[in-house]
Amino acid sequence: MKRRAMVAGLCAVASAGCTDRLRDVVASTPRDIAVRSRYIDGDPLVEGQSVRSMPEELITHATSFRSQAGAMGAIRPGHPETTEFVENTEFVDDGGEVVLVVAQRLTAPEVEVRLGSISRTGDHSLRIAVDLAGVRGEIETDDPVVKTLLLRLTDEQGPPERVIVSIDGDRAGVTI
């Protein structure tokens, strides 16, 4: 009995940040929306789809995909984590229920991006808040790098038509 309590206590301590963060995201997501996310350190998207293809003053970007073929066509070679995530997605246009939203941010190398919250902003419209982690205070860099968050979204009300991604006060909208 003591051993079981000790193991449970160690697991609680070891996973405290992860568990709390997971509960925060679940608590801030409407119950009829399922989401899975994956952080990618770098830019897996081809030119024309990437934040690097946007005007210089735009540091936040979002794009979406309804089919596996469309998403695979937007991934640069040599990005196995992104390819695996896309291959394991059951897209709406391929008979599934999922749309893929890709949120990107130009920022300092030590920054990570993670899902903050999801909320409804109207019929078939969502707002996704993405948090910056890894540093505190103002983030300035002369040589920004791309940070990417892949999001699989399933909505019981049907695929969203519009998504606004908000990262540190900057917004990017995408029509799905």
Side-chain angles (χ1 to χ4, degrees), residues 73-84:
I75 300 171
R76 294 184 312 164
H79 290 273
E81 281 184 287
T82 304
T83 301
E84 178 188 354

Side-chain angles (χ1 to χ4, degrees), residues 66 70 103 141 162:
R66 295 175 53 100
T141 182
R162 181 102 174 118

Side-chain angles (χ1 to χ4, degrees), residues 46 49 65 67-76 86:
V46 297
Q49 295 286 341
F65 302 96
S67 71
Q68 187 176 44
M72 292 300 284
I75 300 171
R76 294 184 312 164
V86 169

Side-chain angles (χ1 to χ4, degrees), residues 13-135:
V13 169
S15 65
C18 298
T19 304
D20 290 345
R21 182 75 192 139
L22 183 59
R23 286 185 186 147
D24 289 347
V25 172
V26 170
S28 64
T29 301
R31 291 184 180 195
D32 53 355
I33 295 175
V35 62
R36 292 284 180 252
S37 65
R38 176 168 291 169
Y39 166 72
I40 304 293
D41 189 11
D43 187 3
L45 300 181
V46 297
E47 189 174 330
Q49 295 286 341
S50 168
V51 67
R52 293 256 186 222
S53 301
M54 300 296 114
E56 191 173 305
E57 64 274 4
L58 296 178
I59 60 173
T60 298
H61 175 64
T63 191
S64 66
F65 302 96
R66 295 175 53 100
S67 71
Q68 187 176 44
M72 292 300 284
I75 300 171
R76 294 184 312 164
H79 290 273
E81 281 184 287
T82 304
T83 301
E84 178 188 354
F85 193 81
V86 169
E87 286 175 343
N88 292 325
T89 301
E90 297 176 4
F91 287 92
V92 169
D93 288 354
D94 300 332
E97 298 179 343
V98 179
V99 294
L100 177 69
V101 174
V102 180
Q104 292 188 310
R105 175 68 173 221
L106 285 170
T107 189
E110 59 273 10
V111 172
E112 292 183 8
V113 293
R114 66 181 183 195
L115 179 60
S117 65
I118 298 177
S119 58
R120 291 198 184 280
T121 59
D123 289 341
H124 298 289
S125 296
L126 300 175
R127 179 183 174 276
I128 298 173
V130 176
D131 295 334
L132 299 178
V135 297

